[in-house]
Amino acid sequence: MIHKTNLPLRAAMLCAALLLNAGSVNLRAETFRPPSVPLVACDPYFSLWSPADKLTDADTTHWTGKVRRMTGLVKIDGKNFRVMGTEPADIPALPQTGVEVLPTRTIYSFEGEDVRLTLTFMTAALPDDLDLLSRPVTYLTWESRSTDKQKHKVSAYLDASAAIACNMPDQAVNFQKADSAKIKAWRVGTVEQPVLQKRGDDLRIDWGYFYLALADGAKGSLTANTAEATRAGFLADGKLPAPAAEPTLQNNDRNDTVLAFATSLDYVPNKTASNWLMLAYDDLYSIQYMRKNLRPYWRRNGWEAADLLKASAKDYASLQKRCAAFDDELMTDLRNVGGDNYVRLGALAYRQCFAA
């Protein structure tokens, strides 16, 4: 049985143990590169990583190593580039200029066509707030800025495979529009919904629902359609096609349909253009204890997925500040204890430990 825990003490103890071992590793700080970079690291069910030096050098994977693809594209003044994943292979990668792994954030930087693009994955794993720590939500913020002070037309795109909600990629799934008060969302989950029925380590969750969501009124759109259709629509004019016909979205076992997001990041004089979305997973039941399936901690007061998304959207701005402050404080403490090698390894271990 796959279990997850919301006990910060246990995670903190594990993190401390890893850091003690990490502190003995003799690495040159300037050549440090993670063997895998955390993107979405919420718990063992919802854990997606980039196993490459550059975000475009490999497809994203589940922590077990199985591909669970997220694809990122950007259109700059009519030219198309990849910023996440290896597909479409005929689209060139926008040059990546940096990656920074912090305790609660992973920040990728790209630059080309006189535009600087930043992707920030933020998971609010704040140990003094159990409510936040238990939320299976990662924010992805897209930012663009002109480097030549000239106007540029920029659009960003993300699609996420339905396989994120499957143990095996060919499991049949249902797609559903999941809008609620102040939230625009789509979700996908298996038809079978075998809650907590499998045992072992080399497993992915295949019950509950994976969500892409936006705050209502946000500058962006969502759809569910084949990867070919959503990418072709974006690559043509920076927009998404309408959702696929309802029969295509139900009992779908073709493994070619995705949840997709697109937004405009056009030039704003002397400012950074930005938009953000939420990636979330409602597992319905998290653990089996004494033969009883138990709800996740964030549901303890009767919340449903709509409540989770609404609260997460409302908290985005404040969490940006709280996560930045926490990262700064923890990085300073780690550096004071063990120097640059120690702080980089500590930052990498932090989300991995809490997600485990």
Side-chain angles (χ1 to χ4, degrees):
M1 191 74 64
I2 301 176
H3 299 317
K4 75 175 179 183
T5 177
N6 290 310
L7 299 177
L9 178 59
R10 180 176 176 181
M13 291 173 65
L14 179 58
C15 187
L18 285 178
L19 290 178
L20 286 173
N21 291 331
S24 65
V25 178
N26 184 21
L27 295 174
R28 290 174 59 84
E30 61 269 25
T31 61
F32 174 80
R33 62 161 294 271
S36 196
V37 178
L39 307 178
V40 178
C42 294
D43 55 49
Y45 303 148
F46 197 32
S47 185
L48 304 173
W49 298 69
S50 174
D53 290 348
K54 296 181 179 179
L55 193 54
T56 51
D57 282 354
D59 288 321
T60 57
T61 68
H62 186 262
W63 72 265
T64 56
K66 298 297 190 295
V67 171
R68 291 296 180 265
R69 188 174 287 111
M70 294 191 296
T71 297
L73 304 170
V74 62
K75 179 183 284 289
I76 304 174
D77 296 332
K79 297 181 180 180
N80 297 312
F81 299 92
R82 278 183 298 116
V83 292
M84 190 187 322
T86 62
E87 297 182 352
D90 60 339
I91 301 298
L94 189 67
Q96 180 178 314
T97 56
V99 58
E100 184 177 16
V101 179
L102 300 167
T104 66
R105 294 171 295 158
T106 296
I107 304 171
Y108 283 95
S109 303
F110 303 85
E111 193 163 329
E113 302 297 316
D114 298 314
V115 168
R116 182 177 298 116
L117 182 74
T118 304
L119 274 64
T120 302
F121 295 85
M122 181 179 77
T123 303
L126 301 177
D128 61 347
D129 191 327
L130 282 176
D131 290 293
L132 283 176
L133 192 61
S134 72
R135 290 182 187 177
V137 176
T138 290
Y139 303 90
L140 174 53
T141 301
W142 300 74
E143 297 176 310
S144 71
R145 189 177 183 93
S146 171
T147 59
D148 64 357
K149 299 183 180 180
Q150 301 299 310
K151 292 184 178 180
H152 297 282
K153 189 171 181 61
V154 181
S155 299
Y157 167 95
L158 173 82
D159 71 49
S161 168
I164 292 172
C166 301
N167 179 41
M168 302 301 292
D170 59 355
Q171 287 180 271
V173 296
N174 289 331
F175 292 84
Q176 293 176 314
K177 196 171 184 179
D179 293 354
S180 59
K182 299 185 178 181
I183 293 295
K184 297 187 293 186
W186 275 87
R187 76 177 193 179
V188 61
T190 61
V191 173
E192 185 184 6
Q193 291 292 306
V195 177
L196 288 164
Q197 291 183 15
K198 297 179 178 66
R199 299 173 182 271
D201 290 324
D202 187 20
L203 294 172
R204 278 66 49 194
I205 191 169
D206 57 1
W207 69 91
Y209 298 92
F210 168 58
Y211 287 79
L212 280 191
L214 297 172
D216 192 20
K219 187 175 61 174
S221 58
L222 300 170
T223 196
N225 209 318
T226 64
E228 181 181 7
T230 58
R231 294 172 190 173
F234 177 80
L235 294 172
D237 60 12
K239 298 179 181 179
L240 296 177
E246 189 66 20
T248 301
L249 298 179
Q250 308 311 323
N251 203 29
N252 183 316
D253 62 357
R254 296 195 311 272
N255 191 30
D256 66 349
T257 303
V258 298
L259 300 180
F261 157 85
T263 188
S264 170
L265 296 173
D266 288 348
Y267 174 81
V268 178
N270 301 316
K271 291 184 179 180
T272 298
S274 68
N275 204 355
W276 55 277
L277 71 154
M278 296 176 287
L279 298 88
Y281 206 104
D282 177 13
D283 58 21
L284 303 177
Y285 292 90
S286 298
I287 190 170
Q288 190 176 85
Y289 180 72
M290 300 296 286
R291 299 184 180 180
K292 182 179 180 180
N293 292 345
L294 301 181
R295 294 287 196 179
Y297 184 79
W298 63 265
R299 278 181 172 266
R300 73 191 187 285
N301 293 324
W303 272 18
E304 299 292 342
D307 302 297
L308 171 70
L309 296 173
K310 181 180 177 180
S312 298
K314 180 181 178 182
D315 292 344
Y316 169 75
S318 64
L319 289 177
Q320 276 191 306
K321 297 177 182 178
R322 290 177 64 182
C323 287
F326 176 80
D327 288 349
D328 288 346
E329 182 179 6
L330 182 56
M331 296 285 275
T332 298
D333 289 345
L334 292 172
R335 184 173 286 106
N336 288 340
V337 170
D340 287 340
N341 291 335
Y342 192 70
V343 71
R344 294 180 186 214
L345 288 165
L348 179 61
Y350 182 83
R351 257 176 298 164
Q352 182 176 0
C353 292
F354 273 102

